[in-house]
Amino acid sequence: MISPISSIYISENYIVTVGNEYYNQIKLFDKSGEFIRSIGKAGNGPGEFVPSVFRIVIEEQQDRLFVADCNFSRMMVYSLSTGQYVCQIPFPHKTIMPSFIMNLQDSTMLVTHVPIKQSPTVLWKQDFQGNIMQQINPGRFESQKGFFMLGMDEFYLKRSKGKTMLSMIQTPDVNDSLYYYNDATNELRPYFAVNFPGDVPDHWIYETSDFYMITINGSTGGDISSGYHNGPQKRIIIDKKTGRGAYAHITLDGYGSIPITKQRFYMWGEYFTLTLSPEWLAEMALKALAHSEYFKPGEKERLQTLVDSITEEDNIFILYGKIK
């Protein structure tokens, strides 16, 4: 059982959770879900943070956990194996909801954030002393609101197969694209766009090796478990090889095909994380068990074991898996 969470991060052998703005606890688990330790604590001293942790990067080979503390525009660095504070890396200016890629070989990192009015850059490369080495001006990426609102704008960096990609949510909603970042020329180049007719819905674009997935978020209804976008979601899958697309429904394969509709669902490259309230999970599982004629061998027993394990003391269930 853990406190309400705002973020989940997964590496080869670890799961890291971050509590919401009131709890703001960083907890480390192994891949089986066994709790290992808490990391850092609330405060203003060395190795401490206030409720402003937004993004985390896990570097297993270097035994490091990098934690972006937005309130003080800095990166806190901890040891994975001991949980001890190591050092901090300053950001060169006020940094809002940063996403970053570390290069520990040359002690540099690539950072993007939500550029509001007067932000000097949308993406930059810096050293660990906080010196900017190259940057891209905000331009068309600047927030049109002139201010930041949590859950309305998010920028993400990801590296896959030697390429660096930038994806984003922006409000007011715009027809936008996925971008490649070219480090040698310091350029952002669009390579996949979604053109909606009429008013553009609130949407997010994911990418895996085989397909693109566009998630269209509803704006009304729903409940708190759906995160900042409380309405029902629609998803479109586009096959990279054929270019053909279709609406898609995601289900928990192996657990009676429980549908994923409004819960906190996030893609991490080829994988996803999902947080479920025990009440919702129990309700949907019991509905699935009522139609056992549709189960594959072993699914009913697996789902019944899960239902039997749910207790009143449970807080949040975390699932992770791969889209197939």
Side-chain angles (χ1 to χ4, degrees), residues 2 9 11 13-18 25-31 33-39 56 58 60 63-65 79-83:
I2 60 177
Y9 302 90
S11 66
N13 296 296
Y14 295 107
I15 300 172
V16 174
T17 66
V18 181
Q25 298 169 329
I26 300 176
K27 295 184 178 295
L28 180 68
F29 301 82
D30 65 22
K31 211 56 177 291
E34 290 293 323
F35 175 71
I36 300 175
R37 66 176 57 86
S38 294
I39 294 180
I56 284 177
I58 306 168
E60 289 190 22
D63 185 39
R64 290 292 182 263
L65 186 73
S79 166
L80 271 174
S81 59
T82 67

Side-chain angles (χ1 to χ4, degrees), residues 70-88:
C70 301
N71 196 65
F72 289 101
S73 292
R74 63 186 178 182
M75 185 92 68
M76 313 292 285
V77 186
Y78 301 89
S79 166
L80 271 174
S81 59
T82 67
Q84 295 298 309
Y85 168 69
V86 177
C87 65
Q88 73 177 41

Side-chain angles (χ1 to χ4, degrees), residues 155-309:
F155 284 51
Y156 287 90
L157 282 174
K158 182 181 73 171
R159 192 184 299 278
S160 178
K161 297 181 178 180
K163 294 183 177 181
T164 302
M165 291 161 280
L166 173 69
S167 54
M168 64 196 72
I169 295 175
Q170 283 187 292
T171 305
D173 307 302
V174 294
N175 283 317
D176 219 313
S177 175
L178 296 175
Y179 295 83
Y180 283 135
Y181 174 69
N182 188 317
D183 184 82
T185 61
N186 193 38
E187 292 179 298
L188 284 171
R189 297 178 179 176
Y191 68 96
F192 177 80
V194 181
N195 296 309
F196 293 96
D199 294 336
V200 180
D202 177 63
H203 66 283
W204 186 249
I205 309 173
Y206 303 98
E207 179 181 7
T208 73
S209 297
D210 301 318
F211 61 83
Y212 301 104
M213 181 167 69
I214 300 94
T215 296
I216 303 172
N217 295 303
S219 58
T220 58
D223 55 33
I224 191 64
S225 62
S226 60
Y228 302 113
H229 309 285
N230 288 330
Q233 293 179 329
K234 295 181 180 179
R235 293 186 176 90
I236 301 170
I237 296 288
I238 298 177
D239 185 272
K240 284 186 174 181
K241 291 182 179 179
T242 65
R244 299 181 64 181
Y247 282 103
H249 299 282
I250 298 177
T251 62
L252 291 181
D253 185 31
Y255 286 91
S257 297
I258 294 177
I260 302 305
T261 54
K262 301 179 298 181
Q263 305 297 302
R264 282 182 176 266
F265 175 90
Y266 296 104
M267 291 290 296
W268 300 88
E270 307 294 315
Y271 294 85
F272 69 87
T273 60
L274 178 68
T275 58
L276 303 169
S277 66
E279 296 83 5
W280 184 91
L281 181 57
E283 178 185 350
M284 299 305 293
L286 290 172
K287 287 182 179 180
L289 286 169
H291 298 280
S292 57
E293 64 271 20
Y294 299 114
F295 281 66
K296 297 177 182 177
E299 282 189 357
K300 182 177 180 181
E301 293 77 12
R302 188 182 301 114
L303 186 57
Q304 187 64 60
T305 299
L306 177 61
V307 171
D308 292 342
S309 72

Side-chain angles (χ1 to χ4, degrees), residues 3-4 24 35 49 72 75 86 89 99 114 118-119 136 150 156 159 169 198 238 255 262 312-313 315 317:
S3 64
N24 208 44
F35 175 71
F49 45 78
F72 289 101
M75 185 92 68
V86 177
I89 301 171
S99 176
V114 179
Q118 296 181 341
S119 291
I136 293 179
L150 185 63
Y156 287 90
R159 192 184 299 278
I169 295 175
I238 298 177
Y255 286 91
K262 301 179 298 181
E312 293 182 355
E313 295 182 352
N315 193 328
F317 282 84

